[in-house]
Amino acid sequence: MIRQDIEQAITVALTAMGAEGVAFALERPGSMDHGDYATNAALIAAKILKKNPKEVADELASNLAIEGIKKIEVAGPGFINFTLSGSVVKEVVHEAHGKEWGNNTIYKGKKVMVEYTDPNPFKQFHIGHLMSNAIGESIARALEHSGAEVLRANYQGDVGPHVAKALFVLLEKNIENPTIEDISRAYVEGATRYEEKPEDKLAIDALNKKIYDKTDERVNELYKKGRTLSLEHFEEIYKILGTKFDLYFFESETANKGLEIVRARPEIFEASEGAIVFHGEKYGLHTRVFINKLGLPTYEAKDLGLIVEKEQRGQSDHYIYVTANEQNEYFKVVFQAAGLVFPEIANKLMHRSHGMMRFAEGKMSSRVGNVITGESLLMDLMGETNTKMEGRELKDAHNTAQQVAVGAIKYAVLKQSSGKDIVFDPEKSLSLEGDSGPYVQYALVRARALLRNARSAKVVDPEPAGPMPIERLIVHFPQVVERTVHELEPHYVATYLTELAGMFNSWYASERLIVDGAITSRALAVVKAIENTLAQGLQVLGIPTPEEM
């Protein structure tokens, strides 16, 4: 590709100038007025050569001869801008018609396990699970577009105090065959009583131990029913969100492994006041408990057991964990401890965190006696979408509403860089006016409708003209996907697609593309490239692509 040609030419020229091995950037300029690519190579090389950056830039530019580059010019304190020739832009637009458009080989031959969503049986599917799912699924898809073999993993807490809190209430009320609503209400009540009533706290702690030990048949039976019901319910949500997991891990499977690992390494984990802890202060971190005073494994110990499970069931080159950023410090400690226990996997572990979701004031209220869950948010948006589409003759209105609602939520999550909090406004998230998932989805629907209409149109040769801005924008899609993969940040794709959709809508509104039953071959090629780029980009984000809206 032309970008690689430019990078290679710069590298060769810098080496000839005595600045071998310079790590420079080649990026899209902030404005198309400054060309199609810009590099800071001269600014970096100037420090090595101990010369004026502008002089280095002038010399470097004069030594560059790259086929397909129309213009090379020095700007500012030493940036070099490159403008592509019309023939190169035309060639890339035609490349954008292919199935492999936007793909790269960054992770070719690598296996990557991405763990995300992680809802817990006996608890509700929360907003955080929805966010983790959107980000994790998009990262998984971006990695696949980069040649990786991806294993989607889901780690769920099917044992622990939260289970005991729910079962405590279900047992007390003799609910032997609970519904998913029964379980949700029982957990909320149990959690409240655990905090407010000391006698209930003692009883719940004792029940928690029974769940681990499996010593009570009635408890075992109710536990089995609740766990199965919860997991089946989660699968219904995953299907709506477009996620299919390859591997499921459970705390009930990792708990004993974690206990064994911690107890077998007293040189790493030390006894402290009846518990066993890891002294993170030795590494600039903080101390965390791995086995509590009751002799039960904490989340930390279970995560060590999880590493063993992951290596045994899906050994990978990289393990990516997607959780809320409130767990940042937690994972620093766990990864530090894991690196001491399993030094061979220390550099395989990576944590990608996300912010929290808040709601625009006055836009959504919490449900009576409960909070807004990820599931209820999804259902509410589907209902709102159905209302907005009333009167439209759609072949499958329910499926379209579901796709638009999923696109609205996922885009709202993915358009922000992962660490930032999100202020969610349901009305704006469903808007067709811009900066929303439905806006991009609708641009794709419009492009596909135009292509359908073009099937019966006569294709004619266009008048000679230079590249249009939208053609020059299409060129950069592969680079956007690469950056997303390097940084594990889907917001680059989301931002790009919004810009492309906006430019397409403006072009569509200002020009009649099919005139008197004819369309130019150039316009047809551009629309095909736009359609495929929007489709591929939405696929990377995990956002559905409706056929009609």
Side-chain angles (χ1 to χ4, degrees), residues 38 70 72 82 107 135 138-139 146-147 151 191 195 199 214 282-284 288 319 329 354 364-365 425 466 468 532:
K70 178 182 177 182
I72 300 175
F82 303 85
Y107 276 86
I135 295 168
S138 183
I139 287 174
S146 300
L151 292 174
E195 296 298 326
E199 66 275 16
K214 298 182 179 180
K282 298 177 182 179
Y283 309 93
R288 295 196 72 94
Y319 297 97
E329 296 306 311
H354 59 79
M364 296 191 79
S365 59
D425 186 322
M468 295 185 293
N532 195 38

Side-chain angles (χ1 to χ4, degrees), residues 385-436:
T385 305
N386 269 317
T387 300
K388 287 179 176 290
M389 294 193 307
E390 283 181 359
R392 299 187 187 185
E393 296 183 3
L394 303 177
K395 295 177 182 177
D396 189 346
H398 174 77
N399 187 52
T400 299
Q402 182 173 289
Q403 290 179 318
V404 172
V406 170
I409 292 177
K410 285 196 173 189
Y411 181 89
V413 172
L414 298 173
K415 72 178 181 179
Q416 299 279 8
S417 59
S418 295
K420 292 185 177 180
D421 288 349
I422 295 167
V423 178
F424 186 78
D425 186 322
E427 187 175 332
K428 290 181 179 179
S429 76
L430 291 172
S431 172
L432 295 179
E433 301 302 317
D435 198 24
S436 72

Side-chain angles (χ1 to χ4, degrees), residues 22 39-48 51 53-54 56-57 76-79:
V22 170
T39 183
N40 63 348
L43 296 170
I44 306 299
K47 297 176 182 178
I48 297 173
K51 292 183 178 180
K54 182 71 165 54
V56 175
F79 291 99

Side-chain angles (χ1 to χ4, degrees), residues 195 253 378-379 491 496 513:
E195 296 298 326
E253 301 167 343
L378 184 58
M379 295 304 112
H491 77 270
Y496 172 87
L513 300 180

Side-chain angles (χ1 to χ4, degrees), residues 365-379:
S365 59
S366 18
R367 298 175 179 275
V368 178
N370 211 335
V371 297
I372 299 171
T373 65
E375 181 183 0
S376 66
L377 176 60
L378 184 58
M379 295 304 112

